[in-house]
Amino acid sequence: MENVKIIKGIKGTRNRPKTALVLGSGAARGLAHIGVLKALTEHHIPIDIVVGSSMGAMIGGAYAAGLSPGQIEEIACQTNRLKIAQILFPKRLQLDGLLDGKRVQKFLIALLGEQKIERLKIPFASVATDIWTGEEIILNSGSLVNAIRASISFPFLFTPMKIDGRYLVDGGVVNPLPINIAREMGADFIIAVNVMPPIDRHIHKLNSGNISAPRNILAASSSSSFFQRLLSIFNENGTAKNNSKQAEFQNLSKPGIRRQMIQIGTTMENMIMTLQLKENPADILIQPQLNNYQFFDFTKAEKIIAAGKKAAGSLIYDL
């Protein structure tokens, strides 16, 4: 109930705090930001600053540029698998990333036009990462489309975006929920939206099991015995037996390259976000329930947006 009282204070016309909306990274889960914007708009909660990272930069940039939550929702919900393929995939793959990002850039230009960040209706900033130095890059002036394109450039998936001699990738690499930037932009009160799914932060100890060998082998006693053993191993035609106990663990399948890439990125961003929230907590943190949605679930926009609206509405339901 304390959050509700604070939000009521934001709505006041006199001496109200400058309020920032910080939208985090999360790929398709970031569509929940649209639902949050819908709830805030319906309850007439003013937003003075918008800061976004990755997908949060795309949604936040569109809102700061003057698109209503309803307009953004309409575009998101019209997305199907064919349109995603047309927007994302080039005619040929690149060596420095699977996708060159040119079609995404054309999509953003068609959606937002050639707008300058410093001329937007609402002050806006997006976050990117310098791939060579690891520095956090704040994009708060210049081309809105370029700023969004840089912030959403997930490593290995998109080619880096070159701006002012720097090669920039996804802002979520260094700052998946950039609350600190909103503070630096003069925000007195911050509403942040975290769309990353929670992960198990417990430390587990596992027994490494037994090596698949026909007999118990001691360490090599000399260099000559080591090389003789190595040669004999290479000459063997037999295959190792599977450890059935490990193979049956939760019936998990071996992840492919794409799944490994996404899981590693999500885990790293989650750990960074947890540390940053301790150092720079938001005044209100909205966390939609998105455990059932995956990185590329853009075709489930309606349900993801609804989850975002529900999470925001739970804080302001009695206004």
Side-chain angles (χ1 to χ4, degrees), residues 172-248:
V173 173
V174 290
N175 200 345
L177 194 61
I179 294 170
N180 61 312
I181 295 174
R183 298 280 187 203
E184 292 171 7
M185 292 175 68
D188 303 309
F189 189 89
I190 292 179
I191 301 171
V193 186
N194 172 23
V195 296
M196 300 290 285
I199 60 173
D200 184 359
R201 301 192 185 281
H202 295 91
I203 297 175
H204 299 277
K205 295 181 180 179
L206 293 178
N207 186 308
S208 61
N210 299 316
I211 192 169
S212 299
R215 62 185 182 281
N216 189 25
I217 302 175
L218 300 176
S221 59
S222 65
S223 59
S224 60
S225 63
F226 165 71
F227 283 110
Q228 287 176 356
R229 183 180 297 170
L230 190 63
L231 287 172
S232 68
I233 291 173
F234 280 117
N235 288 330
E236 288 179 359
N237 294 321
T239 57
K241 296 180 180 179
N242 290 327
N243 187 327
S244 59
K245 188 175 291 186
Q246 289 299 320
E248 293 174 0

Side-chain angles (χ1 to χ4, degrees), residues 91-234:
K91 293 181 180 179
R92 58 177 182 160
L93 300 180
Q94 310 297 305
L95 293 176
D96 50 355
L98 292 178
L99 311 176
D100 65 8
K102 289 181 180 178
R103 291 193 177 187
V104 171
Q105 206 157 351
K106 289 179 180 178
F107 168 79
L108 291 172
I109 291 172
L111 178 66
L112 305 172
E114 280 288 2
Q115 299 200 54
K116 297 290 186 182
I117 295 174
E118 54 268 36
R119 296 178 184 173
L120 297 179
K121 294 182 178 181
I122 302 174
F124 171 75
S126 70
V127 186
T129 306
D130 186 312
I131 192 64
W132 285 116
T133 66
E135 291 176 283
E136 180 179 328
I137 305 298
I138 301 171
L139 299 165
N140 59 1
S141 64
S143 168
L144 174 62
V145 167
N146 286 349
I148 294 173
R149 161 70 173 89
S151 189
I152 65 173
S153 297
F154 193 85
F156 310 115
L157 186 60
F158 285 103
T159 58
M161 179 71 181
K162 188 177 182 181
I163 296 179
D164 197 22
R166 290 176 179 261
Y167 288 91
L168 307 182
V169 296
D170 198 299
V173 173
V174 290
N175 200 345
L177 194 61
I179 294 170
N180 61 312
I181 295 174
R183 298 280 187 203
E184 292 171 7
M185 292 175 68
D188 303 309
F189 189 89
I190 292 179
I191 301 171
V193 186
N194 172 23
V195 296
M196 300 290 285
I199 60 173
D200 184 359
R201 301 192 185 281
H202 295 91
I203 297 175
H204 299 277
K205 295 181 180 179
L206 293 178
N207 186 308
S208 61
N210 299 316
I211 192 169
S212 299
R215 62 185 182 281
N216 189 25
I217 302 175
L218 300 176
S221 59
S222 65
S223 59
S224 60
S225 63
F226 165 71
F227 283 110
Q228 287 176 356
R229 183 180 297 170
L230 190 63
L231 287 172
S232 68
I233 291 173
F234 280 117

